[in-house]
Amino acid sequence: MDINNHTETPFEIKISFNKLLNQYENLIATDNDFIAANARRVLKIAKENPILREGFSDFSLLKTYEKEIEGLLQDTFSPLLTKNEIKTASIPFHNFTFNESERFKSILKTAGDKFELQIVNMPTDEKYIFVCAVILNFCYGYNINLKRPFFYEIPDANGVMRYYKMLYNADFIEIIPKKNAPKISKSDFDELLDNFENIELWKEKFPPNSYEFKGFVISNLFDITDDQSISNIKSSLIGDDKRKNERFMENFHEIFRSLLGLKDIQVGFSTYNKDEDSFERVYGSGMKSFLLNQLETTQCSDTLCNWSYNRLLNEKKYFSISDIKREFEHPNRNAPHIKILHQQGIQSAIFAPIANDEGLMGILEIVSEKPQVLNSINANKLADVMPFIVSAVERSKKEEENLIEAIIQKECTSIHKSVHWKFVQEARHYIKEQLENNETPTFKKIAFDEVYPLFGQLDVKGSSDARNLATQKDLLLQLGYAEKILNKTLDAKSLPIYEQIKFQITEYSTALKDHFKVDSEHAITGFLTKEVLPVFQLIADTQPLVKGEIEDYFSKLDKELGVVYFYRRHYDDTVKLINTNMSSLLDEKQVEAQNMYPHFFERFKTDGVEHNMYIGESITKHNSFNVIYLYNLRLWQLQVMCEMENEYYQNRHDYPVSLDVASMILVFNQPLSIRFRMDEKRFDVDGTYNARYEVVKKRVDKAYIKGTEERITQKGKLSIIYSQKEDEEEYVRYIKFLQSKKVLDNDLEYLELEDLQAITGLKALRISILYHNDKDDKTFYTYNDLMETIKA
């Protein structure tokens, strides 16, 4: 088989000893008779076997001339060192070897017959370019520094991977351009310098087989398993999303096996919670803790004995147990961590504290199911890797803290992306002031002037009445259950206290049916928990015939509240579901609106969903705002409110309780200023005049139509509140457009509102929304039509 088959390089390779033999010719004339005699011995071998000087590419000839090659290389491969040196002859960047030292042969034999020797960090394309770099150096004098360590991965007798670094001695190679080899000019060289990854360009300058390679290299190998294991640990810890990577822990096991030279070990982690003085599980794919076993968290005092606690947490030093079974069976030793490990079949272990100057952060756990495999001697090897693990955990904790802050910001005090730039700007100024003045500066006011507000809400209509009705039903249901139990109890045994409680139940039931008061819930709930509950517990203990009914009664109570919470839970779940679904739709539509023109947006969940929007030049930062974008956003808001109504009524049958919603939009035609209130972590209007807008927002949905007892917000209708004639004209145009699209009905009302406290002159446009029975239905309905259709 030819060496040049199945590989593509600029070389046509011949194994040759010509350059080595030339050096021996120079040694014949030396004054040292021993050296000269040895040189003649070598040259005699070469003369008798001319192919060794001429060169060959047939692998089989290495076997044919094995003894002769060994004779030629006797000086470079000393027989005295062959059992110690890891050494071989080879061709650069190829995986085959010859004339190996005895130690190298032993390493390969131990790896097994199926093992194939490969340079693990030599990609195919890079191999071609490395060869080209060698040619540039040898033939043209261009010194390109492409030196990098190459190594083999070879398993030992225990199956533990060991790493061997290669160093080439290239004193005995010759590189000769063939006739078809393009000559490399300075401009070619300059072009190649900027195109390392352009393999086609390199092949153009150095076509395959355009140079003759004659010679061989001597590869000296060095066991760098410890160094490589440490490097691998660093690389593993640097990687992103380690906890999500399924192979992270598997690779980590292998790395530690190589570092310690042990096959049957596993690695685990647990974190330390200083506030709780507890160990906690590290969440992630493949992550285990042998100290915790199956627990999520446990107190340190329940996991460690006093000595090991002090060793890890106070002294911050590792400790090992070489024989767990022996410790477990010792009559005077009952350390909790020994019991935990013994339960898992672990026989030896090392625990190392992951700690910095601030204290313990976690525990590195290395365990084996074999005794004495892990001990205080090989535990010392951890000294080289613990600093990297500590750094990684510090970085991970910081990332986790940042992530927690990000989640809090997102879920609790979100800063909308449209104004985020302003906070970044001020934060940078804050940091600059802190660094320059070496003191804590003040975070300056963040405000946006001349912005136009938009407000809308989809509110659950009659939410207070609906909840009161649910409360009334729950209380009547529980009182009825209690009355039945007391009736059965009195039949068996009559006590005055039972009769008094039954009387009170009847009184409460009658009052609830006649008229539900605001304080009824509190009074009846107190009666049921403080008076009925202890009596029922006594009855259950003294009257076995009623015990089953009482147990059934208790099973119907909410476990946390201790009362029947059936209808109220249905109401709460409905409101929660309305809020979730309507918020999701609004958020989805907001993406489209932001793409039209950036603006500030926030929403709130109450008994329904409210939203604020602000649009203006000071928010977008660019000199691009036009009042057309305001008009566009107002029209978008109208359409989305109608879509939310349709979405709700199309799916109302999916909600536990049938409730109605009513929609309202507030129009404020003057720009105002908003600022971020640091104490409340939210935006609010700025200034006394602008505060009027906030007052209107809070009160207007409860306003009555002038001269009537009718609220402005009604189910099936969209109410648009305004104060200026130009607002009316603008929104009438939008309404006519939406009427043409069959979104709104033709029953537009022009209304005046009763004066609110300190608020006068408010007007309203109110119009019915047209509904579809479902998303595919092209028929339009009024609210009443829709209700009739749903009932049918």
Side-chain angles (χ1 to χ4, degrees):
M1 182 179 174
D2 195 288
I3 296 170
N4 298 291
N5 291 347
H6 309 298
T7 183
E8 185 181 49
T9 72
F11 287 155
E12 181 183 351
I13 298 171
K14 286 186 177 180
I15 298 173
S16 167
F17 302 93
N18 180 57
K19 201 165 180 182
L20 174 71
L21 295 169
N22 289 343
Q23 292 197 30
Y24 275 109
E25 288 176 346
N26 296 330
L27 292 175
I28 291 176
T30 185
D31 293 337
N32 190 311
D33 293 339
F34 293 104
I35 293 176
N38 185 54
R40 285 191 291 271
R41 175 189 63 80
V42 172
L43 291 171
K44 180 183 177 184
I45 296 171
K47 185 176 180 181
E48 293 172 354
N49 302 279
I51 194 172
L52 299 178
R53 186 185 285 272
E54 295 166 5
F56 57 90
S57 58
D58 186 345
F59 275 119
S60 64
L61 294 180
L62 287 170
K63 188 65 177 176
T64 303
Y65 295 98
E66 183 177 12
K67 293 297 181 183
E68 289 78 5
I69 292 171
E70 185 179 347
L72 294 183
L73 299 179
Q74 185 175 335
D75 292 336
T76 53
F77 286 77
S78 171
L80 297 177
L81 302 176
T82 189
K83 292 184 178 181
N84 183 272
E85 291 184 331
I86 311 172
K87 196 171 184 179
T88 183
S90 65
I91 298 298
F93 315 126
H94 282 65
N95 292 313
F96 79 89
T97 60
F98 61 94
N99 204 70
E100 301 94 344
S101 68
E102 289 300 319
R103 185 175 176 193
F104 188 50
K105 288 179 182 178
S106 175
I107 290 171
L108 293 179
K109 183 179 180 181
T110 300
D113 296 336
K114 295 182 179 180
F115 176 76
E116 293 184 9
L117 192 67
Q118 285 189 337
I119 303 172
V120 295
N121 58 336
M122 174 59 75
T124 303
D125 285 354
E126 287 191 17
K127 176 180 176 181
Y128 198 103
I129 295 171
F130 268 90
V131 171
C132 295
V134 172
I135 294 171
L136 285 171
N137 191 3
F138 267 78
C139 299
Y140 298 100
Y142 292 120
N143 185 18
I144 296 182
N145 186 4
L146 266 182
K147 290 182 179 179
R148 57 182 288 192
F150 296 116
F151 58 88
Y152 294 127
E153 291 181 354
I154 307 174
D156 66 12
N158 296 318
V160 174
M161 194 62 68
R162 304 199 68 80
Y163 302 89
Y164 298 90
K165 181 179 178 180
M166 291 183 288
L167 291 180
Y168 284 141
N169 181 333
D171 290 345
F172 309 116
I173 66 172
E174 301 171 85
I175 300 174
I176 306 158
K178 291 185 178 180
K179 291 181 180 180
N180 68 328
K183 187 172 178 59
I184 304 299
S185 65
K186 180 65 167 62
S187 61
D188 293 326
F189 175 71
D190 294 341
E191 185 180 6
L192 290 169
L193 285 178
D194 294 324
N195 289 278
F196 177 79
E197 295 180 350
N198 188 347
I199 184 64
E200 296 305 320
L201 178 64
W202 287 88
K203 287 182 177 180
E204 176 190 326
K205 306 297 183 185
F206 302 91
N209 303 318
S210 57
Y211 289 80
E212 184 178 22
F213 174 95
K214 291 181 64 177
F216 70 100
V217 294
I218 298 172
S219 299
N220 291 281
L221 278 71
F222 302 90
D223 190 334
I224 58 163
T225 301
D226 288 355
D227 293 338
Q228 188 62 37
S229 297
I230 294 170
S231 177
N232 289 343
I233 287 172
K234 289 192 285 184
S235 299
S236 298
L237 294 172
I238 290 170
D240 293 330
D241 291 332
K242 295 180 285 293
R243 297 185 190 183
K244 296 179 181 178
N245 188 337
E246 292 184 2
R247 288 196 55 81
F248 171 72
M249 279 309 297
E250 185 179 334
N251 292 338
F252 220 56
H253 291 318
E254 291 299 328
I255 292 168
F256 270 91
R257 287 164 187 164
S258 294
L259 177 69
L260 299 174
L262 301 170
K263 179 65 176 176
D264 300 312
I265 62 170
Q266 296 183 73
V267 181
F269 294 95
S270 52
T271 60
Y272 175 64
N273 185 327
K274 184 178 180 180
D275 295 335
E276 303 290 338
D277 194 33
S278 64
F279 292 127
E280 297 176 353
R281 181 178 299 280
V282 178
Y283 293 101
S285 181
M287 295 283 187
K288 291 185 67 175
S289 171
F290 301 97
L291 274 177
L292 292 172
N293 197 3
Q294 300 298 323
L295 298 175
E296 298 295 318
T297 181
T298 182
Q299 292 299 120
C300 295
S301 57
D302 295 334
T303 309
L304 302 172
C305 64
N306 292 337
W307 181 88
S308 57
Y309 181 97
N310 183 64
R311 181 79 172 177
L312 289 175
L313 276 74
N314 299 328
E315 297 179 16
K316 300 176 190 175
K317 294 180 179 180
Y318 70 85
F319 72 89
S320 62
I321 313 107
S322 63
D323 195 330
I324 288 169
K325 184 179 180 182
R326 181 184 63 200
E327 292 293 315
F328 180 77
E329 293 175 349
H330 195 285
N332 298 324
R333 296 173 189 165
N334 56 354
H337 58 280
I338 298 296
K339 293 180 182 178
I340 294 168
L341 296 174
H342 185 266
Q343 289 170 3
Q344 299 169 74
I346 295 168
Q347 293 299 313
S348 58
I350 298 172
F351 296 105
I354 305 171
N356 57 14
D357 293 339
E358 296 178 3
L360 186 71
M361 295 180 290
I363 304 292
L364 170 67
E365 310 164 0
I366 305 175
V367 302
S368 173
E369 294 181 356
K370 295 182 178 179
Q372 299 186 334
V373 164
L374 296 168
N375 50 67
S376 63
I377 297 175
N378 54 24
N380 281 279
K381 282 203 168 189
L382 296 180
D384 296 324
V385 301
M386 289 309 296
F388 305 114
I389 294 176
V390 169
S391 296
V393 172
E394 286 176 332
R395 186 173 66 251
S396 180
K397 284 177 71 68
K398 189 65 178 176
E399 289 171 355
E400 186 173 50
E401 289 170 4
N402 292 339
L403 179 60
I404 289 170
E405 285 301 315
I407 291 171
I408 292 172
Q409 286 291 319
K410 179 181 178 182
E411 300 296 331
C412 306
T413 57
S414 176
I415 304 300
H416 193 259
K417 62 181 180 181
S418 63
V419 296
H420 184 261
W421 64 270
K422 189 81 170 178
F423 288 85
V424 172
Q425 187 181 75
E426 180 53 36
R428 285 176 177 158
H429 177 75
Y430 182 95
I431 293 170
K432 179 183 176 184
E433 287 285 312
Q434 190 176 41
L435 293 174
E436 289 180 351
N437 301 326
N438 197 27
E439 58 184 32
T440 304
T442 303
F443 204 86
K444 293 185 179 178
K445 170 184 172 182
I446 292 182
F448 298 91
D449 299 324
E450 295 291 306
V451 294
Y452 292 90
L454 296 91
F455 172 77
Q457 71 175 33
L458 183 141
D459 193 36
V460 174
K461 194 67 177 167
S463 57
S464 296
D465 291 340
R467 195 186 191 284
N468 287 342
L469 179 60
T471 303
Q472 183 184 33
K473 288 182 176 180
D474 277 341
L475 294 175
L476 283 171
L477 193 62
Q478 187 169 354
L479 289 169
Y481 292 150
E483 186 174 17
K484 287 181 181 178
I485 291 172
L486 282 170
N487 286 335
K488 190 169 183 179
T489 303
L490 287 166
D491 289 342
K493 184 177 184 179
S494 179
L495 290 179
I497 188 64
Y498 297 164
E499 293 180 2
Q500 186 272 325
I501 290 175
K502 181 187 173 184
F503 172 77
Q504 189 65 54
I505 288 173
T506 305
E507 287 280 295
Y508 277 130
S509 298
T510 303
L512 274 175
K513 291 172 184 175
D514 292 343
H515 181 62
F516 181 84
K517 297 180 181 179
V518 176
D519 61 347
S520 297
E521 180 178 8
H522 177 74
I524 296 174
T525 299
F527 165 71
L528 289 167
T529 54
K530 294 177 182 178
E531 297 187 41
V532 174
L533 177 63
V535 168
F536 279 9
Q537 288 171 338
L538 174 64
I539 293 171
D541 292 337
T542 58
Q543 298 190 36
L545 294 176
V546 193
K547 185 176 181 181
E549 282 82 352
I550 292 178
E551 289 176 351
D552 182 58
Y553 170 84
F554 285 136
S555 71
K556 291 181 170 67
L557 306 186
D558 182 272
K559 291 181 180 179
E560 294 182 6
L561 301 174
V563 294
V564 170
Y565 211 76
F566 179 77
Y567 291 103
R568 279 171 289 184
R569 178 176 291 106
H570 277 11
Y571 169 81
D572 291 342
D573 289 347
T574 299
V575 172
K576 183 179 179 181
L577 201 54
I578 291 172
N579 289 344
T580 300
N581 292 344
M582 295 301 101
S583 296
S584 297
L585 177 60
L586 189 58
D587 291 345
E588 180 184 327
K589 296 295 179 183
Q590 248 295 298
V591 176
E592 301 171 6
Q594 291 292 341
N595 289 333
M596 296 175 192
Y597 191 82
H599 56 277
F600 178 80
F601 168 81
E602 63 182 355
R603 60 164 173 76
F604 306 96
K605 296 178 182 179
T606 54
D607 282 349
V609 179
E610 298 178 0
H611 66 271
N612 287 319
M613 295 183 288
Y614 298 98
I615 187 169
E617 187 72 57
S618 61
I619 288 177
T620 48
K621 191 170 60 168
H622 307 295
N623 187 21
S624 62
F625 178 72
N626 188 295
V627 72
I628 293 295
Y629 294 121
L630 170 62
Y631 300 153
N632 183 74
L633 191 59
R634 285 174 172 173
L635 178 56
W636 172 89
Q637 184 186 34
L638 272 174
Q639 291 175 297
V640 169
M641 295 299 291
C642 294
E643 286 189 50
M644 289 170 67
E645 286 252 2
N646 264 280
E647 178 74 17
Y648 172 68
Y649 282 112
Q650 286 167 7
N651 298 289
R652 192 166 75 157
H653 58 277
D654 294 332
Y655 294 87
V657 179
S658 181
L659 299 174
D660 282 305
V661 296
S663 297
M664 184 204 73
I665 288 172
L666 175 63
V667 183
F668 199 78
N669 70 337
Q670 294 296 316
L672 44 73
S673 297
I674 59 171
R675 69 183 175 94
F676 188 76
R677 299 189 182 277
M678 295 296 178
D679 52 346
E680 299 176 23
K681 298 291 186 272
R682 67 180 185 87
F683 275 97
D684 202 353
V685 296
D686 196 18
T688 306
Y689 172 76
N690 295 328
R692 179 175 180 269
Y693 173 71
E694 287 293 328
V695 173
V696 174
K697 275 199 318 185
K698 292 175 181 176
R699 299 177 181 173
V700 72
D701 64 324
K702 301 295 191 293
Y704 292 97
I705 298 172
K706 201 165 202 177
T708 73
E709 295 296 320
E710 181 184 349
R711 288 272 176 87
I712 185 59
T713 55
Q714 293 294 323
K715 60 188 178 184
K717 294 179 181 287
L718 174 63
S719 301
I720 303 166
I721 315 299
Y722 63 97
S723 61
Q724 302 298 320
K725 184 65 177 178
E726 56 264 37
D727 297 331
E728 177 186 300
E729 293 171 350
E730 178 187 343
Y731 273 85
V732 167
R733 291 197 299 271
Y734 300 152
I735 289 169
K736 287 181 178 179
F737 170 72
L738 294 179
Q739 285 172 331
S740 72
K741 297 291 184 182
K742 301 295 184 184
V743 174
L744 296 175
D745 203 358
N746 295 317
D747 58 348
L748 178 61
E749 301 173 87
Y750 294 81
L751 306 169
E752 291 185 26
L753 303 187
E754 290 283 4
D755 293 343
L756 301 172
Q757 185 178 353
I759 306 293
T760 61
L762 291 179
K763 301 177 182 180
L765 297 172
R766 192 169 69 178
I767 188 168
S768 295
I769 298 169
L770 292 177
Y771 299 95
H772 308 276
N773 202 15
D774 56 57
K775 292 180 180 178
D776 298 323
D777 183 12
K778 301 302 180 185
T779 307
F780 299 95
Y781 301 87
T782 64
Y783 174 82
N784 290 331
D785 293 335
L786 184 66
M787 291 301 102
E788 289 300 322
T789 304
I790 291 172
K791 290 175 184 177

